[in-house]
């Protein structure tokens, strides 16, 4: 009996598609494992939420965004994209993560990536009060609202799976020290620096537990960079001899050690949690030690304006001192990294931090 040609064709097509499907999934990027990226934090990851709140801490004007697609000043404190934008693209999602408060985007966009971060905020509510930023408790409320919208958009079951498998990034803490503790007298009169670090760690723990209860399972907690080497802090240190502020760098290192301990604690305490520590501090130190290896020429000043103290409205299009090529700089303004440094940070995250989500606990 002659074989059924149509049946053979169907079998061939099935085998062909199956084999290529296996090949695809075997070689797919890590993006196939993350249905969305969800971001909390401060100006290091704010995609433009501050454009829509009553604060002086904004960057929705040139030359911010001059190297962004279309030269658009989106509210990112950078000449281009943020590390979280690059990470989103690297895991197979969109090349930018939209700000939750941006009316140009809706839940169909936020279902794939969303940013709740606000420049100037911190774990401590008193930090966000300084410049009228969005406090962390409000970022949490926005996340709860987003969760409800997501359930309406895709159904409760699919929304739960998205939230469970999404990549969460928390990048915050620098402002609590530089904008609050060392600048205003209230916290420094109440706490020693070690006590204040412990206070912040308790707030960080509470926040992580809160989003865990709302469905988050894959969370990256970002280290503080060596904040004593920010151009602004170098400028202040010039009054007492110059260079980085070793006191601030020591505080950042101490706080990072406490964050690592928190990561270990919560991974044991919360079933199913994959909380990882992303060591951007190490990456910054490496670039500062070997700038030429990364194609950089200036690691001390920002590219915008004089690069000594300007950020926000002081970094504007009328300043004649802004550098022509930000890729040669570690910092864009006196407080924030360039797009190039954000790409380096993203590459390091993808290479060293991301795989930790898929390593089985011993």
């Amino acid at each position: 009996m002659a074989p059924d040609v149509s049946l053979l064709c169907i079998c061939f097509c099935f085998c062909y598609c199956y084999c290529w499907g296996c090949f695809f999934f075997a070689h797919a990027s890590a993006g196939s494992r993350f249905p969305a990226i969800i971001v909390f934090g401060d100006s290091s990851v704010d995609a433009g939420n501050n454009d829509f709140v009553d604060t002086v801490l904004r960057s929705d004007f040139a030359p911010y965004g001059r190297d962004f697609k279309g030269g658009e000043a989106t509210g990112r404190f950078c000449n281009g994209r943020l590390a979280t934008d690059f990470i989103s693209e690297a895991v197979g999602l969109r090349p930018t993560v939209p700000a939750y408060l941006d009316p140009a985007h809706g839940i169909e966009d936020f279902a794939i990536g969303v940013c709740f971060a606000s420049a100037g905020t911190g774990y401590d509510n008193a930090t966000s009060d300084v410049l009228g930023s969005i406090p962390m408790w409000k970022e949490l409320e926005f996340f709860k609202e987003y969760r409800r919208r997501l359930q309406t958009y895709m159904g409760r079951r699919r929304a739960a799976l998205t939230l469970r498998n999404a990549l969460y990034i928390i990048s915050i803490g620098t402002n609590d020290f530089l904008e609050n503790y060392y600048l205003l007298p209230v916290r420094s009169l109440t706490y020693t620096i070690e006590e204040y670090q412990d206070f912040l760690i308790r707030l960080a723990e509470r926040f992580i537990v809160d989003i865990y209860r709302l469905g988050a399972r894959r969370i990256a907690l970002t280290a503080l960079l060596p904040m004593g080497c920010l151009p602004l802090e170098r400028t202040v240190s010039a009054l007492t001899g110059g260079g980085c502020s070793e006191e601030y760098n020591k505080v950042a290192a101490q706080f990072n050690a406490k964050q690592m301990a928190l990561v270990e604690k919560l991974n044991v305490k919360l079933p199913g949690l994959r909380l990882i520590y992303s060591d951007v501090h190490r990456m910054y130190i490496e670039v500062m030690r070997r700038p030429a290896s990364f194609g950089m020429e200036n690691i001390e000043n920002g590219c915008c304006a004089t690069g000594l103290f300007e950020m926000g409205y002081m970094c504007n299009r009328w300043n004649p001192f802004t550098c022509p090529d930000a890729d040669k700089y570690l910092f864009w303004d006196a407080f924030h990294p360039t797009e190039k440094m954000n790409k380096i940070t993203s590459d390091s995250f993808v290479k060293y931090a991301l795989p930790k989500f898929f390593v089985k606990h011993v």
Side-chain angles (χ1 to χ4, degrees), residues 178-350:
L178 300 185
E179 184 185 307
N180 185 353
Y181 188 87
Y182 285 112
L183 187 64
L184 304 176
V186 178
R187 294 304 191 197
S188 57
L189 292 176
T190 307
Y191 301 101
T192 65
I193 188 61
E194 292 79 12
E195 290 170 342
Y196 188 61
Q197 290 173 346
D198 292 338
F199 170 67
L200 296 179
I201 289 295
R202 289 194 295 273
L203 294 177
E205 178 176 359
R206 184 186 307 168
F207 183 82
I208 293 168
V209 170
D210 283 342
I211 63 172
Y212 170 85
R213 288 172 176 166
L214 293 168
R217 290 297 182 273
R218 298 171 173 179
I219 308 170
L221 185 62
T222 304
L224 295 190
L225 52 76
M227 59 189 182
C229 292
L230 294 172
L232 179 62
E233 302 312 323
R234 286 180 182 269
T235 300
V236 174
S237 294
L239 302 174
T240 57
C244 299
S245 167
E246 294 308 320
E247 177 187 359
Y248 290 175
N249 282 349
K250 179 181 178 181
V251 168
Q254 290 173 338
F255 186 71
N256 287 339
K258 293 182 179 184
Q259 287 198 109
M260 285 188 278
L262 177 63
V263 167
E264 292 182 11
K265 173 186 175 181
L266 292 182
N267 276 324
V268 172
K269 178 181 177 182
L270 302 176
L273 177 67
R274 299 310 299 263
L275 177 62
I276 68 167
Y277 172 74
S278 176
D279 193 2
V280 299
H281 185 277
R282 178 195 59 80
M283 193 68 250
Y284 272 77
I285 293 295
E286 186 174 341
V287 172
M288 289 175 182
R289 286 175 177 167
R290 301 185 299 109
S293 299
F294 297 89
M296 293 186 185
E297 298 177 1
N298 191 320
I299 61 167
E300 298 181 357
N301 302 62
C303 166
C304 192
T306 67
L308 298 174
F309 61 88
E310 298 93 342
M311 62 173 286
Y313 287 112
M314 289 187 289
C315 169
N316 57 61
R317 73 180 75 194
W318 296 284
N319 197 300
F321 300 107
T322 298
C323 78
D325 185 3
D327 283 352
K328 295 179 180 179
Y329 285 69
L330 169 54
F331 294 101
W332 164 245
D333 61 19
F335 210 84
H336 305 97
T338 56
E339 179 182 65
K340 181 170 184 176
M341 186 61 206
N342 284 331
K343 180 63 166 63
I344 292 170
T345 301
S346 167
D347 289 345
S348 177
F349 179 88
V350 171

